[in-house]
Amino acid sequence: MPKPILTINNLTKTYGKNVIFQHLDLTVNEGDTIVIIGPSGTGKSTLLRCVNLLTRPNEGQIWLDDLEITAKGTDEDQVRQHIGMVFQNFLLFNHLTALGNVKLGLTKVKHMSDEAATDKAMKELSRVGLADRADHYPGQLSGGQQQRVAIARALAMDPRVMLFDEPTSALDPELIGEVLEVMRQLAMDGMTMLVVTHEMGFAREVADRIVFMEKGYIVEEGSPDEMFNHPKFDRTREFLWKITELYGKKEKEAK
Amino acid sequence: MKKYLLLAVALLLVGAILVGCASEPTSVLDKIQKAKKVSVGTSADYPPYEYVDDAGNKTGFDIELMEEIAKRMGLELEWVDMPFDSLVAAVASGKLDMSISCFNYDEERDKTVDFSEAYYTTEDAFVVTSAFSGTIVAPEDVAGFKVGVQSGTVQDDWLTTNLVTPGLLPEANLSRYERVDQAALDLANGRIDVLMGDYVPIQALVAQNPDLQVVYHGELSTGPINIVLPDGDTALKAEVDRIIKELQAEGFIDQLAVKYFSE
Amino acid sequence: MDFGQFISYIASGTVYTVGVTLIALPSGLLIGTILALFYVYGGKVAARVMNLYSTIFRGIPPLVLLFILFFAVSKGINLSAFLAGSLSLGMVSSAYQMEIVRGALLSVSGDQLMAARAIGLSRLQAIRYVVLPQAVRLAIPPWSNEAAIIIKDSSLVYALGVPEILRRAQLIGASSQKYLLAYLSAAIIYFLLVSLTTRLLNRLENKLSIPSHP
């Protein structure tokens, strides 16, 4: 019986008069890789930010394992240690080296000794293939390298679930591959992942489930095979066809 | 909301100032006798009354006089040099025990400080450059020209009261300076036509600069010069006055005048 | 007249100029940084109060503040001319430095803060370990400017009787009638002080700069 790590129940988020999304239900089981797709501006990023409590939903609850993290009085900092997040713009700490970036959470939040933190940080940097760049600053790294460091930074905290907010959208086409490869390997290693992306190849190959969101609702969700080959809704088929067209074009460009 | 906060802060500042002003009458004489030290203010930019020699030591008529007075009071003298404008306020607020700086008696000043007996008498003088083409026979004649004066002095008051206020000298033609030497510079470069000041320092200026000449001197605003003392301390005044009389009787002050005022 | 004595009399005021600066500048930095943190991270009410502080101390001529502190307020607590002058300048500087630090904090993108929170750092830790180190580097150029201003503004304490460079130039100029020489000497000394300071701060800026594009 698969164990749910993340349970999202009846989640609603409004901003003034605008409804970003409403009555969302989503369950993420241990080891799942869930890919969320949909047109821009449908609240996908906002959903991720609700999950790690960077934003508060207006209605609904979110559970991480057995803890309702949306409950009043939750220690948000504590919760965020267990949820890793990778941003579209990498957001590495500019004044620290790659190693420094990965170590910061270990020394200041987990209170590890400098030695232990360095060890662990180097392990994670090796995992993403950047051990030899440990002493480089973000300004000295390519976009793809920066994003991989960002992934290492999030992984170092040993999170229960990893959130990816359009991780390759800000990258040059040639650099996308190295990041997706890291993510694919992570999924293979059994990490629970919630990914917002336009990368259909990744979705098709790596996702356990694909969730299609539009206008603040989940239109449909299912396995890649279901979604691509037998979608229940026309809108789903329309969107996937359009974006695969686009993806096809992108593939040609990258070659 | 911002206005009320500003008002509150302004009130706080005023309150602090008022607290500062509400002083209990303390005897300065007692204080300096206990400490065996007196702090005296002067504005050492006024030769030959008070100035600095080449080595930077204070010297001058007022300086030597005050040092003798302190000696006879059995006190160590601590000089504090300050711009002339600040001296009266400093004595009034207790920052200085007294001040000597060629002060003439002035009613306005008397409201916040006291004066000793006169220790010397001076005159006013008007000085021009050789380029001056006008005629000055009576002091009021300067109203027709551009006049310079040191601000806050009795000469400043005299010019303001007697020439500016009645409308004889336009305000724009009266230039006030922080120090006499600044005024002298402007006189030399023609920004002002006439400089009014104390006769003695003006004589010193003329001695150094042959282009200058005194066109009039006499007692207009000046006259006796006094030491400025804290308000209401009658015991201190009595003591200082006593010593001044002593020094006058001994001829000490006349000797100083010869030393510093003759050409 | 001994030229050497002349110059050294004026130059001996340097110790007061440096003294005033060494009190005013660091105290301005300490207070300014604390206030800036409140301004940026303290919420609406704090921001309003800080704004008021800034408006007041940048709106009063420093000389006026010096007089208020020396003649009026310090009758209760006896402050020497040197201290009254230094502290007044420190207060004025703190308002300008608050604006400098505030600008630097705001220039560090808010996303940096968000990324720091995302790995579990508390708000305070995020400000301390991520935002402030980056803000410091941004603040150095305008701070170098403020340092130069304080060195020059230190001359204002002459009005309270502190025998610093400018006052000494005035005195010896008046007694020797060599005004131009006196003021030129003073100007050169100030120029040297400011140049030295600016150069040191440039070195600091280079040392702290974050490498990019190998």
Side-chain angles (χ1 to χ4, degrees), chain A residues 77 92 94-95 108 139, chain C residues 112 117 119 125 129 210 213:
Chain A
D77 297 331
L92 289 182
N94 298 308
H95 63 299
K108 302 300 177 194
Chain C
Q112 287 285 306
R117 301 304 301 279
I119 54 172
Q125 287 179 315
Y129 296 115
I210 301 164
H213 310 302

Side-chain angles (χ1 to χ4, degrees), chain A residues 49 52 54 76-78 80-81 83-85 87 89-96 101 104-105 108-109 111 136-141 153-154 157, chain C residues 108-126 128-135 137 208-214:
Chain A
R49 286 193 197 167
N52 77 344
L54 286 174
E76 292 180 1
D77 297 331
Q78 248 283 329
R80 291 196 197 106
Q81 285 183 46
I83 302 177
M85 180 128 174
F87 300 91
N89 290 316
F90 337 134
L91 299 186
L92 289 182
F93 306 134
N94 298 308
H95 63 299
L96 297 174
N101 263 271
L104 189 63
K108 302 300 177 194
V109 179
H111 305 294
H136 279 53
Y137 286 89
Q140 298 169 306
L141 298 170
R153 179 176 67 179
M157 302 298 284
Chain C
V108 178
S109 142
D111 283 349
Q112 287 285 306
L113 200 61
M114 178 173 71
R117 301 304 301 279
I119 54 172
L121 287 166
S122 72
R123 194 149 186 255
L124 214 65
Q125 287 179 315
R128 184 169 160 205
Y129 296 115
V130 173
V131 177
L132 264 180
Q134 296 184 59
R137 288 157 172 96
L208 288 181
S209 72
I210 301 164
S212 62
H213 310 302

Side-chain angles (χ1 to χ4, degrees), chain B:
Chain B
M1 164 70 178
K2 196 167 174 168
K3 276 194 210 130
Y4 289 132
L5 272 171
L6 250 154
L7 186 64
V9 173
L11 281 173
L12 260 167
L13 264 170
V14 170
I17 295 171
L18 285 177
V19 163
C21 292
S23 50
E24 334 95 50
T26 45
S27 168
V28 175
L29 181 60
D30 283 342
K31 174 192 127 194
I32 60 181
Q33 279 174 337
K34 266 204 200 96
K36 291 224 174 316
K37 200 164 82 161
V38 61
S39 96
V40 182
T42 190
S43 185
D45 54 22
Y46 203 61
Y49 286 104
E50 45 268 332
Y51 60 103
V52 292
D53 64 19
D54 289 344
N57 302 309
K58 287 189 185 55
T59 184
F61 179 81
D62 283 345
I63 304 292
E64 272 205 50
L65 174 61
M66 193 65 223
E67 277 173 356
E68 183 62 31
I69 293 176
K71 188 160 130 206
R72 295 196 184 197
M73 285 175 82
L75 303 171
E76 185 193 325
L77 199 162
E78 182 197 357
W79 282 113
V80 179
D81 164 75
M82 255 189 218
F84 184 75
D85 281 353
S86 304
L87 287 169
V88 171
V91 175
S93 65
K95 289 292 172 189
L96 298 170
D97 298 321
M98 56 181 85
S99 179
I100 187 168
S101 207
C102 196
F103 283 104
N104 295 106
Y105 177 82
D106 179 276
E107 260 176 41
E108 270 304 308
R109 292 173 184 159
D110 201 14
K111 289 184 187 157
T112 50
V113 293
D114 278 347
F115 291 86
S116 70
E117 287 298 309
Y119 58 87
Y120 195 71
T121 303
T122 67
E123 289 184 328
D124 296 303
F126 294 96
V127 62
V128 300
T129 62
S130 53
F132 186 70
S133 53
T135 328
I136 295 179
V137 172
E140 291 75 21
D141 292 342
V142 300
F145 306 97
K146 286 186 282 183
V147 185
V149 72
Q150 183 181 15
S151 87
T153 54
V154 287
Q155 288 86 5
D156 184 358
D157 283 343
W158 186 88
L159 287 168
T160 311
T161 315
N162 295 297
L163 297 183
V164 175
T165 312
L168 297 167
L169 173 67
E171 180 82 48
N173 282 354
L174 177 62
S175 303
R176 293 186 175 84
Y177 300 87
E178 198 184 55
R179 300 186 318 278
V180 174
D181 59 78
Q182 286 172 320
L185 268 172
D186 267 9
L187 182 66
N189 63 36
R191 282 213 191 92
I192 53 174
D193 302 315
V194 188
L195 170 56
M196 179 183 183
D198 186 294
Y199 190 29
V200 171
I202 284 186
Q203 280 179 308
L205 279 174
V206 170
Q208 297 218 335
N209 185 348
D211 189 47
L212 298 176
Q213 55 206 51
V214 176
V215 290
Y216 176 90
H217 66 94
E219 271 184 43
L220 292 170
S221 69
T222 48
I225 51 176
N226 324 73
I227 296 174
V228 164
L229 299 167
D231 208 24
D233 196 332
T234 42
L236 179 59
K237 179 172 156 66
E239 179 67 7
V240 171
D241 286 348
R242 183 186 66 80
I243 298 178
I244 289 176
K245 280 205 181 68
E246 237 175 56
L247 293 171
Q248 279 170 337
E250 290 169 24
F252 181 86
I253 297 188
D254 286 332
Q255 280 176 346
L256 278 186
V258 166
K259 178 175 176 188
Y260 284 103
F261 297 159
S262 20
E263 258 121 85

Side-chain angles (χ1 to χ4, degrees), chain C residues 139-211:
Chain C
I140 294 182
W143 200 79
S144 166
N145 198 36
E146 177 69 14
I149 290 175
I150 292 293
I151 291 173
K152 290 176 288 177
D153 273 1
S154 71
S155 60
L156 290 173
V157 300
Y158 91 98
L160 304 182
V162 177
E164 46 72 63
I165 297 172
L166 180 60
R167 182 63 181 159
R168 284 172 188 251
Q170 286 178 348
L171 294 184
I172 204 142
S175 60
S176 67
Q177 302 275 303
K178 290 189 164 50
Y179 309 111
L180 192 58
L181 183 62
Y183 290 125
L184 264 178
S185 308
I188 290 173
I189 298 175
Y190 278 114
F191 174 77
L192 289 172
L193 285 172
V194 172
S195 296
L196 186 67
T197 307
T198 313
R199 211 165 291 177
L200 282 172
L201 286 171
N202 271 347
R203 273 230 213 116
L204 182 68
E205 192 184 351
N206 285 334
K207 206 162 169 233
L208 288 181
S209 72
I210 301 164

Side-chain angles (χ1 to χ4, degrees), chain C residues 78-139:
Chain C
N78 195 22
L79 286 173
S80 70
F82 177 78
L83 265 181
S86 309
L87 292 175
S88 310
L89 276 180
M91 278 200 271
V92 170
S93 184
S94 72
Y96 286 97
Q97 296 206 45
M98 176 180 83
E99 294 294 340
I100 290 174
V101 177
R102 175 175 163 245
L105 287 170
L106 292 173
S107 296
V108 178
S109 142
D111 283 349
Q112 287 285 306
L113 200 61
M114 178 173 71
R117 301 304 301 279
I119 54 172
L121 287 166
S122 72
R123 194 149 186 255
L124 214 65
Q125 287 179 315
I127 294 171
R128 184 169 160 205
Y129 296 115
V130 173
V131 177
L132 264 180
Q134 296 184 59
V136 162
R137 288 157 172 96
L138 289 170

